[in-house]
Each structure stands twice: as structure tokens, then as C-alpha cells.
């Protein structure tokens, strides 16, 4: 019985201490996610003869795919870069019956702290901060197009399970976007209005990851 307990303890000890993420590691991941935002749209006229401000609240949701690359600067601290492309769920235009195309491209720097850093189970929390570009092709009778650019930010927590260097992940996050000056393909509108759009929401996603590069100590052992 004591031997069995010792073996189980040794296995658990090895799993916990033999970290997948470490200083010098390079982890590539791909994930798909659904984001749901509470949004605020602000319209303000810049025409002195038509002084008005309109604020509308609503909800928006998108599906997105993200690519990330993270480098271990310490055994539990990683920094990297992330890109994701989001496509928003929309309804067809009432007049043309055509579907609008609403999508954004986001690129950000990421910082992650690996709170639980085992051989099989890895739990990280972190943030991404960067730039977002929004494109809205309305496909209405006027062929209106809307463009926005601004801040993209999120905080997230991600449990990961590894099988060797390959693994699966669940990702839970709270994203934020803020387009401080929206423009259109209508110059008259651009010259007489200032519009803003921002959203704060929740995200859930799943993906896979792969770790490159071994610890230097492991490399020395394999040579010996």
C-alpha cells in the first residue's frame, strides 16, 4: 500500500513539476470563438445648425478565428502576438434582401501568466491589447459602407490539456472594442457627423496548441 501511494505521489509530482511551458518555449495555437457584445453607438452632428446627439445601445455577436504565437520569457510568463478575424451575425437588408458583410481584423500583443504549469494540465490567464479595423458592407440600395478603427483589448483565462507537445484548450474571455471615429463612403455624412461605436462583452472558444523548443536542461540530458 505504501509503495502504491509512493508511486501515485511520484507520478503526480512529475506531472505537476514537469512543465510544458517554460522559459524559451514557443507555443503556437489556433482557436475558434463566439463573442457577444453589449454595444453603444453615438451619433453627434457637427453642423452648428443641427446640434444633436443620439446614443443607442444594442447587442452584437460574431464568430472568429484566432492565431497566436507565445514565447516564454520566464518559466511562467509568456509574451507574444495574436491575430483574429471576426465575422458578425447580421440580418438581410429589408429592401435588397441581401446579407450585409460585417467583419473586423484585430492584431494585438499578448501577455500570459501560467498559474498552473504541469506536464498535462496548464492554466493561464492574461490579456491582449492592440488594434482593430472594422468594415461594414451594408449591401443596401445605396451601397453604404462604414469603416472604423480603434482599440482592441481583452482579458482571458485558458485551461489547456497536453498530450506530449500537442494539446487542446478552452478559452474564456472578456473582449472590448472601441472605434472612436467611424467613417463612410459618403463624404457629406463624414463632414457633418461624428460617430463612435464600442462594445464590451464575453467570449468562449476552443482550440489546439503545439509547443516548440525544449528546455536547455532537457537538451543537455539528451546529448549526455
Amino acid at each position: 500500500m505504501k509503495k502504491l501511494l509512493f508511486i501515485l505521489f511520484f507520478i503526480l509530482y512529475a506531472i505537476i513539476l514537469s512543465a510544458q511551458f517554460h522559459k524559451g518555449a514557443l507555443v503556437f495555437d489556433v482557436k475558434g470563438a463566439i463573442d457577444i457584445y453589449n454595444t453603444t453607438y453615438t451619433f453627434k452632428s457637427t453642423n452648428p445648425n443641427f446640434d444633436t446627439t443620439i446614443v443607442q445601445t444594442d447587442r452584437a455577436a460574431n464568430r472568429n478565428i484566432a492565431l497566436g504565437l507565445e514565447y516564454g520569457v520566464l518559466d511562467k510568463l509568456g509574451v507574444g502576438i495574436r491575430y483574429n478575424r471576426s465575422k458578425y451575425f447580421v440580418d438581410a437588408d429589408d429592401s435588397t434582401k441581401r446579407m450585409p458583410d460585417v467583419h473586423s481584423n484585430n492584431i494585438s500583443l499578448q501577455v500570459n501568466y501560467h498559474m498552473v504549469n504541469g506536464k498535462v494540465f496548464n492554466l493561464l490567464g492574461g490579456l491582449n491589447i492592440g488594434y482593430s479595423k472594422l468594415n461594414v458592407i451594408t449591401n443596401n440600395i445605396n451601397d453604404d459602407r462604414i469603416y472604423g478603427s480603434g482599440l482592441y483589448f481583452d482579458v482571458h483565462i485558458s485551461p489547456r490539456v497536453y498530450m506530449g507537445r500537442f494539446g487542446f484548450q478552452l478559452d474564456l474571455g472578456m473582449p472590448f472594442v472601441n472605434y472612436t471615429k467611424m467613417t463612410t463612403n459618403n463624404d457629406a455624412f463624414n463632414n457633418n457627423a461624428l460617430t463612435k461605436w464600442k462594445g464590451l462583452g464575453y467570449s468562449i472558444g476552443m482550440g489546439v496548441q503545439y509547443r516548440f523548443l525544449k528546455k536547455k536542461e532537457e537538451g543537455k540530458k539528451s546529448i549526455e
Side-chain angles (χ1 to χ4, degrees):
M1 186 65 181
K2 288 183 178 180
K3 287 184 178 179
L4 180 60
L5 289 173
F6 176 79
I7 292 171
L8 291 174
F9 177 79
F10 179 80
I11 292 173
L12 182 61
Y13 181 81
I15 288 174
I16 293 173
L17 292 188
S18 183
Q20 281 287 354
F21 191 83
H22 55 80
K23 183 178 180 179
L26 190 64
V27 178
F28 173 75
D29 74 276
V30 181
K31 69 167 184 174
I34 298 291
D35 296 350
I36 300 174
Y37 290 97
N38 294 311
T39 65
T40 302
Y41 174 79
T42 304
F43 169 92
K44 180 177 176 58
S45 172
T46 56
N47 186 333
N49 299 319
F50 186 63
D51 186 14
T52 187
T53 299
I54 299 172
V55 178
Q56 296 178 333
T57 58
D58 202 348
R59 285 196 170 184
N62 69 55
R63 60 185 183 273
N64 60 81
I65 186 167
L67 308 175
L69 192 63
E70 179 185 5
Y71 178 77
V73 294
L74 297 172
D75 281 342
K76 288 195 172 187
L77 181 66
V79 298
I81 190 167
R82 180 166 293 278
Y83 166 79
N84 68 39
R85 180 178 175 86
S86 304
K87 188 172 181 63
Y88 284 82
F89 298 103
V90 293
D91 296 323
D93 182 80
D94 291 337
S95 300
T96 65
K97 307 303 180 184
R98 296 171 61 194
M99 295 295 293
D101 178 11
V102 183
H103 63 270
S104 65
N105 292 284
N106 311 317
I107 187 164
S108 56
L109 297 175
Q110 63 176 341
V111 179
N112 292 324
Y113 181 74
H114 296 253
M115 298 167 281
V116 180
N117 191 19
K119 185 176 182 180
V120 175
F121 182 69
N122 181 266
L123 178 64
L124 65 88
L127 58 87
N128 299 316
I129 183 168
Y131 172 82
S132 179
K133 177 69 175 177
L134 177 71
N135 290 277
V136 180
I137 302 172
T138 62
N139 284 326
N140 62 13
I141 57 176
N142 297 319
D143 193 28
D144 291 323
R145 301 193 176 209
I146 305 168
Y147 312 101
S149 60
L151 174 70
Y152 174 83
F153 176 84
D154 79 49
V155 293
H156 56 264
I157 186 168
S158 180
R160 295 178 172 181
V161 175
Y162 278 90
M163 296 177 292
R165 295 187 178 207
F166 177 80
F168 300 91
Q169 64 174 278
L170 174 67
D171 193 77
L172 303 172
M174 184 177 289
F176 172 76
V177 290
N178 187 19
Y179 305 113
T180 56
K181 183 172 173 54
M182 307 282 284
T183 59
T184 74
N185 57 344
N186 185 325
D187 289 336
F189 180 88
N190 295 338
N191 293 332
N192 290 282
L194 176 63
T195 59
K196 303 177 183 180
W197 189 88
K198 63 181 179 181
L200 174 64
Y202 303 92
S203 173
I204 182 169
M206 298 179 68
V208 296
Q209 74 274 350
Y210 186 84
R211 175 180 61 85
F212 297 89
L213 305 179
K214 294 182 177 180
K215 273 189 175 182
K216 292 182 179 179
E217 291 81 359
E218 293 178 1
K220 290 178 182 178
K221 288 180 182 179
S222 62
I223 293 173
E224 293 172 357

